[in-house]
Amino acid sequence: MKFRNTFCLVFLIFLSNCHQSNKTGYQQIIDNETRAEQIRDMKFGMFICWSFSTFSGQEWTPTAGKDASYFRATGCNTDQWCRVAKDAGMGYILFLTKHHDGFCLWDTKTTDLKVTNSPLGIDVLAKLKKSCDRHGLKLALYFSEGDWTFPGAVFHEDGGRNAEVKKAQLKELLTGYGPIEFIWFDYAQGDGGLSHDETTQWVYELQPNCFSGYNHGPASGRIRLRERGTPGTLGDSEASSIEPEHEATYKGYLVAEFTYPILPAHQGGADWFYSLPEHDHLCLPAEKIYQDYLGSVKYGNIFSLDVGPDYNGEIRNIDVQTLAKVGRLIRGEEKPVEINNSL
């Protein structure tokens, strides 16, 4: 009996240690040089923008008068997203967790304005994480710092301030969904009441190997974000349409990322999100995307191509076809044709 009790105790301790290892293994600190190389090795990824703006037909959607039911998706095909990304030669998914409207695409405890309260009723981030694991893709996150549900917020002008909620949401994201490669912070509506340096430190405490980046505002973090950018070396101010403050004197960047939408310029609708059905025939040429992929590899950048799933939670047919061709170009299965460099 004594032997059996001892054996059971040892077994329970073993199980507990295994659980702790699985939960915290990715929190073991990797040195900056090695970690930066791991980020660079991802090369090319799909930026998924899917939220209230998918259904509003405009880029920024005011929160006033809306609850979670405004998100009217009839499906959520995360396996399709990952299959298309994998076929295109991509190494990661960059997923929008919350835009300026404050609607959360995960099962947060911080607000009722979340996808699990919508007609879809599922934690999209959790489902995407499983799909990424199945298809061998890494996961990164987009997060709007400003939030029009925060105190003092004014639509299109100010994202308000609620540092505790911002920290609580980041804690959920960085402790509940496994390793996150980097977080793409959007400063378009302010920092939400927590400075960039404070945000960077908070992310580091939660996941020391997760790189923080900010599209503009005070420079901070380890990854340089270039919204609507192009390939280029670190320190190349011409490679982004938006430049963080004090970038010339900031020495913390280890790798650069650039991103732009797969939709070309068009009238009406949105750019980063699914636009309108009338724009379903519009897409950048595969050759343009391929050339920027080559640039990203040349300069050691990572390239996040934005694609907006539709009302049914699926990627448009034209995007699927275009990205399949990009994959063939990358693998050398097809020869590129000359394109108009003005695109």
Side-chain angles (χ1 to χ4, degrees):
M1 178 67 70
K2 182 177 179 181
F3 175 80
R4 176 189 289 179
N5 289 342
T6 302
F7 174 80
C8 289
L9 178 61
V10 170
F11 184 68
L12 288 173
I13 292 171
F14 172 76
L15 286 180
S16 175
N17 287 339
C18 285
H19 175 73
Q20 289 297 321
S21 177
N22 287 337
K23 182 178 179 183
T24 62
Y26 57 83
Q27 295 177 330
Q28 301 302 312
I29 296 174
I30 300 172
D31 68 89
N32 273 336
E33 184 176 342
T34 300
R35 186 69 190 116
E37 189 61 31
Q38 291 173 345
I39 296 286
R40 284 191 289 268
D41 282 347
M42 295 193 301
K43 298 178 183 175
F44 187 30
M46 182 182 291
F47 184 10
I48 294 284
C49 286
W50 198 46
S51 191
F52 274 3
S53 291
T54 303
F55 303 93
S56 70
Q58 56 190 359
E59 204 70 65
W60 286 11
T61 305
T63 311
K66 297 179 181 65
D67 60 21
S69 66
Y70 188 82
F71 186 77
R72 304 185 295 278
T74 58
C76 178
N77 197 344
T78 56
D79 274 331
Q80 185 228 19
W81 304 352
C82 290
R83 283 195 305 270
V84 172
K86 196 73 174 178
D87 193 39
M90 294 173 166
Y92 65 95
I93 299 285
L94 168 59
F95 181 66
L96 182 147
T97 60
K98 184 187 75 168
H99 201 232
H100 317 322
D101 49 54
F103 180 70
C104 296
L105 275 293
W106 78 98
D107 190 23
T108 180
K109 293 181 173 61
T110 64
T111 177
D112 290 333
L113 197 65
K114 59 183 180 177
V115 70
T116 47
N117 287 341
S118 75
L120 187 64
I122 63 171
D123 184 328
V124 176
L125 180 56
K127 185 176 182 183
L128 175 60
K129 168 62 177 169
K130 291 178 181 178
S131 293
C132 284
D133 289 346
R134 269 194 297 272
H135 294 276
L137 294 168
K138 303 289 183 66
L139 182 62
L141 304 178
Y142 163 105
F143 183 91
S144 173
E145 300 185 89
D147 182 323
W148 294 321
T149 70
F150 284 176
V154 179
F155 173 63
H156 223 287
E157 295 181 15
D158 189 338
R161 283 152 291 283
N162 196 329
E164 291 310 307
V165 167
K166 180 181 174 183
K167 290 180 71 174
Q169 290 181 342
L170 290 173
K171 184 174 183 179
E172 289 177 344
L173 293 170
L174 291 170
T175 59
Y177 298 90
I180 304 301
E181 302 302 317
F182 65 92
I183 299 189
W184 206 106
F185 284 108
D186 193 336
Y187 181 70
Q189 291 292 281
D191 64 17
L194 193 71
S195 75
H196 285 179
D197 282 346
E198 290 170 323
T199 301
T200 295
Q201 181 59 36
W202 182 237
V203 169
Y204 187 85
E205 288 177 21
L206 296 167
Q207 275 203 38
N209 302 316
C210 177
F211 279 17
S212 299
Y214 306 84
N215 60 342
H216 59 107
S220 187
R222 291 178 283 183
I223 185 168
R224 167 68 168 107
L225 302 182
R226 293 168 174 165
E227 183 176 343
R228 295 187 182 274
T230 58
T233 59
L234 280 174
D236 181 358
S237 61
E238 301 297 317
S240 181
S241 61
I242 302 176
E243 202 170 337
E245 299 168 13
H246 317 302
E247 181 175 4
T249 57
Y250 181 72
K251 304 300 182 185
Y253 295 132
L254 301 175
V255 63
E257 180 264 8
F258 67 94
T259 184
Y260 57 71
I262 199 168
L263 272 170
H266 57 279
Q267 293 296 316
D271 291 341
W272 295 93
F273 295 89
Y274 178 78
S275 186
L276 295 167
E278 66 203 58
H279 298 133
D280 279 352
H281 65 290
L282 297 176
C283 187
L284 290 174
E287 286 81 5
K288 150 73 175 169
I289 297 165
Y290 174 62
Q291 288 302 319
D292 282 336
Y293 163 82
L294 293 179
S296 71
V297 173
K298 176 181 177 180
Y299 292 109
N301 302 158
I302 56 173
F303 172 20
S304 306
L305 181 67
D306 170 65
V307 177
D310 63 15
Y311 310 139
N312 302 317
E314 296 202 331
I315 295 172
R316 303 179 309 158
N317 288 335
I318 192 168
D319 298 337
V320 173
Q321 295 164 9
T322 300
L323 290 171
K325 182 173 181 179
V326 172
R328 292 193 298 272
L329 291 168
I330 289 173
R331 293 187 295 272
E333 298 167 0
E334 190 170 330
K335 297 292 185 182
V337 298
E338 193 171 331
I339 61 168
N340 183 348
N341 290 327
S342 66
L343 290 171

